Amino acid sequence: MTPAIPAPGNSANGTSSAGKTTVLTSISQLNTFLTSSTLVFLCIHAPFVPQCLDTLSIFGLLSTTSPRSIPFLTLNASPDADTSTSSSQDGVDSAGSDDIEAILDKFGVETVPTTLIIWNKEVRDRIEGANAQELRKTIQKYISRLSTLDATNSPSDSSTPSQQKPAHHDLSALTKKHPLMVFIKGTPLSPQCKFTRALLTILDTNKLSYGYFNILADPWVRTNLKTFSNWPTFPQIYFN
C-alpha cells in the first residue's frame, strides 16, 4: 500500500535535486512553471519514506534523458519543514509548510510518492507509489506526445493533447452517467480518504450498483463540481 504523507519526524527537511530536476520552494514558483510550460512533471515525496528514494532516482534519470527542456519538479511533502528558512541537507531550499499544503490541496495529493503529469495546468495522469515501469512509460508517452505536437506546429493543439475539451467536463451529463453516481477521492479498489471508504462500504454492503468518478484525477471536475452541486466537500452522491 502506498503510504500516506508522513507525520513529522527527525529526518532532514528536504532533498537535493537529481539530474535536471528542480526543487520547488513555493507555490508561486510552481505557478510560474505551469504558466510557461505546456508539459510539467512533478514528483511529490518525503525523504523518510523508503519508496520515495527509488522514485526520485528514476525521476532524476528520466530528466537527464529528456529530449527537450521540460520541467521536472520535485516537492518534499514532509510536514516538518520549517515555514521560514527550510533547507535541505545539501543547501537546497525546500517549500514551507503553507506552500506544501497549498500544492497538495491543489492537486489532491494524499500519498507519497506521487508523480503528476500536468498538461496546460491540468493533471492528465498520476502515478502513486514506487512503480518504476509505469513511471517511465507514462513520462515517455507525454514527452513523445509533446514532440509530435511541436512537429505539427498546430496552434489549435495548444490546450489539450486531444484538441478537444474532455467529455466529462459536461458536469450535467457526467452526474447522470449512472443511475447512482458517486464522486469520490480515489477508486473503489483504492479509496484515498476515510469518508470515501465509508461510503463505498455502505454501497457494497447493500449490494448497490453505482458508477464513480475519481475527483483526484481531474482538478477541474473537483473544483467545478462544488459550484455545480452547491456543496463544498466530497464524496458526493447523485441519484438519477
Side-chain angles (χ1 to χ4, degrees):
M1 178 180 293
T2 303
I5 294 173
N10 295 322
S11 52
N13 289 330
T15 182
S16 60
S17 59
K20 297 194 303 180
T21 63
T22 299
V23 177
L24 282 180
T25 58
S26 68
I27 191 169
S28 61
Q29 181 194 22
L30 171 62
N31 289 334
T32 297
F33 279 110
L34 296 180
T35 300
S36 61
S37 303
T38 300
L39 177 62
V40 173
F41 300 120
L42 171 57
C43 181
I44 300 172
H45 66 97
F48 42 92
V49 175
Q51 297 95 321
C52 292
L53 298 178
D54 290 338
T55 298
L56 277 176
S57 177
I58 295 167
F59 191 74
L61 178 61
L62 290 170
S63 74
T64 65
T65 58
S66 172
R68 54 173 292 152
S69 183
I70 299 172
F72 280 73
L73 312 178
T74 66
L75 174 69
N76 171 19
S78 169
D80 62 338
D82 187 301
T83 59
S84 56
T85 58
S86 172
S87 62
S88 76
Q89 56 195 358
D90 293 317
V92 180
D93 287 340
S94 57
S97 60
D98 289 343
D99 286 295
I100 291 171
E101 184 177 354
I103 294 171
L104 297 181
D105 184 67
K106 179 182 180 71
F107 297 119
V109 176
E110 297 184 356
T111 61
V112 289
T114 292
T115 303
L116 303 176
I117 290 80
I118 307 169
W119 186 288
N120 266 9
K121 303 181 183 180
E122 292 190 10
V123 174
R124 297 300 180 191
D125 265 308
R126 70 175 63 213
I127 300 96
E128 296 182 340
N131 190 328
Q133 183 176 1
E134 184 180 1
L135 182 63
R136 289 192 184 95
K137 180 180 178 181
T138 304
I139 285 180
Q140 290 169 352
K141 176 181 74 173
Y142 279 88
I143 290 176
S144 175
R145 184 172 292 179
L146 185 62
S147 298
T148 301
L149 175 63
D150 289 343
T152 58
N153 194 28
S154 172
S156 62
D157 236 356
S158 60
S159 58
T160 67
S162 64
Q163 301 184 29
Q164 299 293 328
K165 181 179 179 180
H168 61 253
H169 282 186
D170 182 350
L171 295 179
S172 179
L174 182 59
T175 57
K176 298 175 183 176
K177 193 173 181 180
H178 192 277
L180 174 57
M181 191 71 183
V182 296
F183 292 80
I184 58 177
K185 291 183 177 181
T187 68
L189 293 178
S190 182
Q192 296 298 312
C193 80
K194 63 182 180 180
F195 302 108
T196 290
R197 189 175 295 108
L199 170 63
L200 294 176
T201 297
I202 293 171
L203 295 175
D204 293 338
T205 299
N206 289 277
K207 298 181 180 180
L208 296 175
S209 175
Y210 60 90
Y212 76 91
F213 188 92
N214 177 11
I215 55 100
L216 298 182
D218 194 310
W220 189 95
V221 171
R222 184 184 186 188
T223 298
N224 288 278
L225 194 62
K226 295 176 183 179
T227 303
F228 178 84
S229 64
N230 195 28
W231 192 257
T233 61
F234 293 95
Q236 293 187 11
I237 308 171
Y238 290 80
F239 295 95
N240 301 296

